[in-house]
Amino acid sequence: MRFLNLLLISFLASCSLSNNEPHFEKNLTLKSITDNNKTIGVSVLSEQLFSNNNYQSFINSEFSGITPENAMKMETINPTKGMYNFRDADEIVRWAESNKKVIRGHPIIWHRQVPSYLKNLDNNQLKEIFESHILTIVKRYQNSVFIWDIVNEAINSDGTLRKSIWLKHLGPDYIKDAFILAHHANPKAKLFYNDYDLTMPGPKFDSAYELIKDLLKKKIPIHGIGLQMHLRPEFKQSEEGLRLVIQKFSELGLEIHLTEIDIAIPTPSSLNDREEQARTFQFIGSVCNQFPSCTSLSLWGLNDTVSWIPSHFKGLGEATLLDGNMNKKSTYYEFLKGLESRN
Ligand code: G3I
């Protein structure tokens, strides 16, 4: 059966690589082909989810998990002191629960999109906000969200700690304290450190590895690592590098989530770049399959139009599995092939 699936997927992929519409499609979906012990997810934009039926039904049929792309960010959910705006996040959580999707809460403590009212606080005032934010959000969704990106992107590319508002006012212990508080708010939740450019060996990987090893040694409740995969011409991914990184973090006993997967290429794209991109999507799926500890893969942006890439990187795009008209690209079929492979 698997061989037949692989044959079919390869055929479909070859059709779509040369931009020919595949003549037929079996009702294979990303979630039907993914192992039961793994979640296949995608980031969701509330403005799309509740206004675009095509967007919503594609997510419903193809994915078993979702991540609110922006709705839970502090600037959005807690824009002014003591005031919370839960509307979008609540709507996404309600939709996900009624459609049986695993929800990845994202992010709790991050250096970006922090509300402006934090800027003029002293250390004690900021510590108060830090603690109440973590407790308020994690507690609110304690019966719906059991996976959280508690600390997001705390490490620089050279391996030093990012000089965020949290580090400046609270010192390096903010990372440890965030996990302790989140665990207190929801002891049933799995708590992740989530960061980008960790999927190749280097100073950032070394620093994250040592940081988490130290937290584990101190019995801090951290359960997994979110390996963001925002791949782009200046951060190309090798299959060996991904395998090595997953192996190393798995040896710490962590759950591995491949998060925020998108592969930005120069646009308008060349066939060469599309082929390399499709191959990378394929091995991302197949390498995760080689590790029982790799329990989740999440795409970032459902299609090339809603993807964050074009508005943040001039000249890059086409980073997702679907084109702007929601047509499956070769990246979709190669990713499907990777999720299907068991070698
Ligand atoms: O909500 C405002 C809207 O009121 C305003 O009219 C509009 C135009 O300025 O901006 C809107 O805010 C935008 C926000 O997305 C919501 O759409 C911000 O400008 C824009 O910068 C923000 O981009 C998001 C980015 O994080 C920064 O938060 C992207 O959509 C999102 O894909 C991206 O995702 C992050 C992950 O959360 C963490 N890992 C890195 C990843 C990429 O940066």
Side-chain angles (χ1 to χ4, degrees):
M1 183 56 181
R2 283 192 196 289
F3 176 70
L4 268 179
N5 278 344
L6 277 173
L7 215 58
L8 172 75
I9 297 166
S10 306
F11 168 72
L12 294 172
S14 62
C15 293
S16 58
L17 252 185
S18 44
N19 283 331
N20 299 331
E21 274 304 302
H23 305 292
F24 63 90
E25 273 184 27
K26 213 172 143 219
N27 58 352
L28 288 173
T29 64
L30 295 171
K31 70 178 178 183
S32 69
I33 212 114
T34 302
D35 274 355
N36 292 336
N37 72 331
K38 294 184 197 298
T39 300
I40 178 72
V42 66
S43 65
V44 294
L45 296 167
S46 44
E47 62 271 26
Q48 288 288 332
L49 191 63
F50 302 111
S51 66
N52 181 336
N53 293 333
N54 206 0
Y55 178 97
Q56 187 184 113
S57 59
F58 190 95
I59 289 174
N60 218 351
S61 58
E62 292 278 341
F63 295 97
S64 53
I66 57 103
T67 304
E69 188 160 334
N70 293 309
M72 292 184 169
K73 287 172 179 172
M74 196 172 181
E75 186 185 53
T76 306
I77 209 166
N78 180 208
T80 44
K81 186 168 166 26
M83 205 282 267
Y84 284 90
N85 172 11
F86 292 119
R87 193 200 57 186
D88 288 354
D90 285 357
E91 266 191 349
I92 291 174
V93 168
R94 264 197 301 276
W95 180 84
E97 285 184 306
S98 52
N99 289 281
K100 299 189 178 13
K101 306 299 175 193
V102 174
I103 304 165
R104 181 185 195 83
H106 167 86
I108 295 288
I109 295 297
W110 191 28
H111 65 286
R112 283 173 61 187
Q113 292 211 271
V114 286
S116 50
Y117 78 89
L118 296 192
K119 291 201 176 39
N120 312 312
L121 302 180
D122 66 28
N123 292 359
N124 289 333
Q125 290 167 326
L126 196 87
K127 186 156 174 62
E128 250 178 61
I129 298 289
F130 169 83
E131 291 172 350
S132 66
H133 185 70
I134 295 169
L135 294 172
T136 304
I137 307 298
V138 177
K139 260 201 186 114
R140 182 179 183 86
Y141 300 110
Q142 61 185 312
N143 297 316
S144 325
V145 181
F146 299 99
I147 296 169
W148 278 104
D149 288 335
I150 294 300
V151 174
N152 200 50
E153 302 171 14
I155 299 170
N156 292 314
S157 50
D158 65 359
T160 57
L161 284 182
R162 186 188 297 274
K163 288 192 173 38
S164 67
I165 191 167
W166 310 112
L167 181 71
K168 274 185 221 136
H169 286 272
L170 307 179
D173 278 356
Y174 86 89
I175 296 173
K176 157 177 82 68
D177 295 343
F179 283 97
I180 293 169
L181 283 162
H183 183 67
H184 177 73
N186 183 357
K188 291 180 289 190
K190 287 180 180 174
L191 309 178
F192 283 71
Y193 174 73
N194 189 50
D195 208 336
Y196 58 88
D197 294 2
L198 291 180
T199 52
M200 292 287 273
K204 183 165 182 173
F205 164 80
D206 296 340
S207 176
Y209 182 85
E210 290 307 321
L211 170 78
I212 295 174
K213 195 174 163 192
D214 183 51
L215 291 174
L216 290 167
K217 207 166 117 207
K218 291 172 179 160
K219 305 268 183 267
I220 303 301
I222 178 167
H223 308 98
I225 179 100
L227 299 174
Q228 293 181 27
M229 298 201 75
H230 292 299
L231 306 179
R232 54 206 184 277
E234 69 274 20
F235 190 88
K236 287 194 186 252
Q237 182 66 50
S238 78
E239 186 169 351
E240 312 68 54
L242 181 60
R243 193 174 288 113
L244 175 71
V245 160
I246 295 178
Q247 177 66 38
K248 292 290 288 175
F249 279 122
S250 300
E251 286 164 1
L252 292 178
L254 292 172
E255 265 197 61
I256 314 295
H257 285 186
L258 301 186
T259 59
E260 308 188 26
I261 304 168
D262 51 25
I263 306 178
I265 55 177
T267 53
S269 63
S270 68
L271 183 58
N272 259 352
D273 283 346
R274 288 198 301 276
E275 286 175 335
E276 183 189 27
Q277 178 193 42
R279 270 196 306 278
T280 305
F281 269 110
Q282 191 274 329
F283 74 65
I284 288 172
S286 64
V287 169
C288 180
N289 271 347
Q290 294 159 27
F291 294 89
S293 54
C294 184
T295 55
S296 173
L297 303 100
S298 292
L299 283 306
W300 204 252
L302 180 64
N303 68 50
D304 293 345
T305 305
V306 299
S307 165
W308 71 294
I309 296 287
S311 58
H312 287 72
F313 294 93
K314 197 165 165 14
L316 294 183
E318 297 185 35
T320 72
L321 303 184
L322 309 177
D323 69 17
N325 300 316
M326 297 285 284
N327 300 311
K328 296 170 182 173
K329 303 188 303 183
S330 57
T331 49
Y332 173 91
Y333 295 107
E334 288 302 313
F335 191 52
L336 196 67
K337 204 158 85 176
L339 293 172
E340 163 74 14
S341 72
R342 293 294 180 277
N343 55 3

